[in-house]
Amino acid sequence: METYSATEVEAKWQGRWDELGTNLFSREDLASAENPYFNLMMFPYPSAEGLHVGNIYAYTGADVWGRYQRLKGHDVFQPMGFDAFGIHSENYALKVGVNPNDLIPSNISNFTRQLRRIGAMFDWNHTVDTTDPNYYRWTQWVFLKLFEAGLVEKREAPVNWCPSCKTVVANEQVIQGLCERCDAAVEQRQIEQWFLKITNYAQRLLDGIEQIDWSSRTLTAQNNWIGRSEGADIDFPIVGRDEAIRVFTTRPDTICGATYMVLAPEHPLVEALTNDEQRETVDAYVEQAKRLDLKARQYVDRPKTGTWIGAYCENPITGAQMPVWVSDYVLIEYGTGAIMAVPGHDERDFEFASTFDLPIKRVISRDGSNNAGPMTEAYVGDGVLVNSGEFDGLSVAKGKRAIVQKLETNGLATGQVRYRLHDWCISRQRYWGPPIPIVYCDDCGAIPVPEADLPVLLPRLEQFKPDDSGESPLARDTDWCSTECPECGGVGTRETDVSDTFLDSAWYFLRYPCTDSDEVALDDEMVKKWLPVNSYIGGHEHAVLHLLYARFVTMAFHDHGILEFGEPFEKFRAHGILTKDGRKISKSRGNVIIPDDLIAEWGADTVRLYLMFLGPFEQGGDYQETGIRGPASFLDRLALSVAEASDGEGDEHVLQAMHRTIDKVSSDIEQLKYNTVISALMEYLNVVREGGRTCVKQELEPIIVMLAPFAPHLAEELWERLGHNSSIFESGLWPEADPDLAKVETFEIGVQVNGKLRGSISVTAETPEDEAMALARSNERVVTHLDAGEVRKVIYVPGRILNIVVS
RNA sequence: GCCCAGAUGUUGGAAUUGGUAGACAAGCUGGCCUUAGAAGCCAGUGCCUUCUUGGCGUGAGGGUUCAAAUCCCUCUCUGGGCACCA
């Protein structure tokens, strides 16, 4: 029996969509859309390998959502672009010896071909390529706007430095403390870099979490990443000096248990407080700490190291003298770069104190009793203050308040909130990115390039490999570097660092509806109409960086009067990960699946349907190729049914099943449970075809509409074969369930005796208990078990269960 | 170490959110049809059993309940993220 040829049908409908511009918006369409819906998905980095099946999975799931919104009557704008700048592309280009300027366009065209082949409804009129000067011109503009808003700052920051290659290396290029390329020990070095002050927005980013509809795991990740801590800054006077060491602590209640102080190696007071006797040891220690690369420095399981610097502090509560140490387990970038060490109640301090034989004092006890005997581990739990003089007996919470209060009256403490979030360093000493639009002038300093002079074009360099200068390869292009100072017109030199790829992607969604404008980055009319984004779907791996940066830029633009809204994405859903035979798909495992052959063999519709059938979209699924036959034959049977269908009235029993299916599908698709949507459609088709019956068209039409998001080509084809002459996506055809028909009248419910299933009875929602009992008693098996004793209790939940307790 | 997610037949996964565990598929077994089958159709398929009966069964162990995959406690394992954040 001839059903359909996927190749022909798919080519036919893709051709027709292109020809009619079904998925395209003209500038006028964008301006006049009545029911706008911006369906965004994370744009890919166009690798040389092409899209793998995981990408297809993600984009199909997002496209299903967009097509579903369209069937519900929205004007769905669904653009796609390419995140093509960055170290990824650059490293690959270096490896294969091709200039990224040549490599990227061919990768993009390959990606475009693949994305078109899966039949997603992308608007190819509104696409972005982050490496296009017409795009990065505006990325540079974003930088300038943030600069204007006072959110850009240049300061020294540590980078990994390979002393042999004499270049900056990324964290990923440091393998066990050694340079990936030359095996030399990597060290950290301080260089001047550009930062965006995202920390100014720490609290706002946290507060905004309350108002957005995002996957909860993504919000949790952002919450943890921002890492708000409440505590106090406390000053510990330095013995013999008119100065204090300021520390941040979340546990002021444990201050009486502080037995020593620790400064980070980079702390300015280390130099000032070190006495002559300790000088040599301390200098050597600080030097050694500096030599560690950034990754090794942060490695937790390293044994604690450090040295006494020869100074003392006074505990502002107990008055006790405490030695001041220096150790790299205290980080200069968090808090004040100094801590009071409470070994009795902090695991790290305990480890350090044990190593160096420093006193360990219990000041919190679980139950308030003053347990004797030495502590064998730090106690970090809740409890009651002990050995704390006047504060004994207070709970941890009350102790915190009381101690901070007392110190506040002496001006020695202030309540303080701190965040783990760091400012965003956007400087990259690399080639493949947008040049940071800054000019240095001996007289005027660092001056932003005027908006009118954008873009600062990235010159084509044949030698783009980082060299031993330690600067971006751009520094070698002296013609490019030398320019005029925008301020005084004198001699200027360009900034040679390029910006982080994450800056490109922190605002791309704002640009999509505005790609028709060359004069401005953001067309106010379009932004007002289409933003914020209604739905964003992407990988959970971007839970913190990309998604946080995009929120930050949006908030900053809002405050700077550029945008009316403060949150970019109303709704965000993280899709799951596809595994293969239970294992992660990765290049190193060699189990990467390129979808082209699969699509050539089965067709895009079958592949789409299969991928969506694997598991809940937000949880991912396991790819096993044999499974594709199920969805394939489902589509075949559906096509067969359409071919056989006659006109006329639908069978009532089938129509009831149909409306129940509409009900279930409509609610499951909202929750992205595409797998159960598909199984519901399969179940319904099984009812339609039960016992080899031939069906009527009326019974098939709604199922074809509901299938359309998953298998758009075949849905169009069957819709046409059923006699319709406009696109199935044109006029909001999503069906609505008739509640009367969808209602289930009689249920088979289980009958349990003492909680064990012994039979079932057929009831309605209104069947009263006595009637249900009577029915149960007519069941032989039930009766046998009832005979075992006296009926003590009957639990009857109409429509659910009848449980009879017998003893 | 901390945080998040998860563990259900041979496999992917369902389960009205406390109410008949295993839907829908894949695989396998048998049958029909066929020159053929990666086509279509039909039947069977959690384990044990005295086989129309009964018992067991959702990572392990305990608990709550008339009733637990679902709630609570303890633990194990897997995947992911963060990582000396005071």
Side-chain angles (χ1 to χ4, degrees), chain A residues 272-312:
Chain A
L273 296 185
T274 301
N275 71 6
D276 292 343
E277 261 162 72
Q278 298 300 319
R279 175 75 56 198
E280 207 173 312
T281 325
V282 170
D283 284 355
Y285 182 77
V286 169
E287 199 44 48
Q288 176 208 319
K290 259 190 209 159
R291 268 203 305 274
L292 279 176
D293 70 276
L294 291 172
K295 224 162 65 169
R297 173 70 194 275
Q298 286 166 355
Y299 188 59
V300 189
D301 297 337
R302 239 165 7 106
K304 296 275 181 289
T305 58
T307 187
W308 178 50
I309 66 171
Y312 291 92

Side-chain angles (χ1 to χ4, degrees), chain A residues 671-790:
Chain A
Q671 303 164 64
L672 272 51
K673 287 156 84 177
Y674 299 149
N675 57 329
T676 55
V677 167
I678 295 165
S679 74
L681 296 176
M682 288 173 168
E683 257 175 287
Y684 173 64
L685 188 66
N686 290 345
V687 171
V688 169
R689 293 173 62 81
E690 197 167 28
R693 73 182 280 277
T694 52
C695 50
V696 298
K697 292 177 178 173
Q698 195 197 358
E699 294 168 353
L700 292 174
E701 290 191 347
I703 192 185
I704 290 165
V705 174
M706 292 188 289
L707 180 70
F710 302 90
H713 313 87
L714 182 63
E716 288 271 34
E717 176 69 16
L718 297 182
W719 194 245
E720 188 181 66
R721 289 187 192 174
L722 284 169
H724 302 278
N725 49 25
S726 61
S727 165
I728 196 170
F729 294 104
E730 218 125 276
S731 42
L733 288 169
W734 192 263
E736 221 169 288
D738 177 338
D740 288 337
L741 280 167
K743 205 164 127 193
V744 182
E745 264 140 34
T746 61
F747 313 83
E748 283 285 303
I749 67 165
V751 178
Q752 298 179 333
V753 178
N754 289 343
K756 291 200 190 279
L757 185 73
R758 299 300 176 189
S760 69
I761 55 174
S762 185
V763 294
T764 72
E766 283 79 37
T767 307
E769 183 174 319
D770 52 351
E771 209 174 295
M773 274 301 281
L775 284 166
R777 284 187 196 282
S778 68
N779 182 310
E780 261 179 61
R781 270 181 71 200
V782 173
V783 171
T784 323
H785 288 92
L786 286 183
D787 286 348
E790 198 86 354

Side-chain angles (χ1 to χ4, degrees), chain A residues 617-681:
Chain A
F617 187 58
E618 290 186 81
Q619 278 166 47
D622 193 62
Y623 178 93
Q624 296 173 352
E625 205 159 318
T626 54
I628 200 167
R629 285 176 204 162
S633 72
F634 168 69
L635 293 182
D636 271 332
R637 286 199 307 276
L638 183 64
L640 201 64
S641 300
V642 167
E644 295 166 350
S646 53
D647 292 313
E649 286 285 299
D651 179 276
E652 192 180 348
H653 165 71
V654 173
L655 290 183
Q656 283 177 347
M658 183 174 96
H659 284 273
R660 282 198 286 272
T661 305
I662 294 170
D663 224 21
K664 174 161 177 69
V665 167
S666 300
S667 94
D668 283 4
I669 200 170
E670 283 287 337
Q671 303 164 64
L672 272 51
K673 287 156 84 177
Y674 299 149
N675 57 329
T676 55
V677 167
I678 295 165
S679 74
L681 296 176

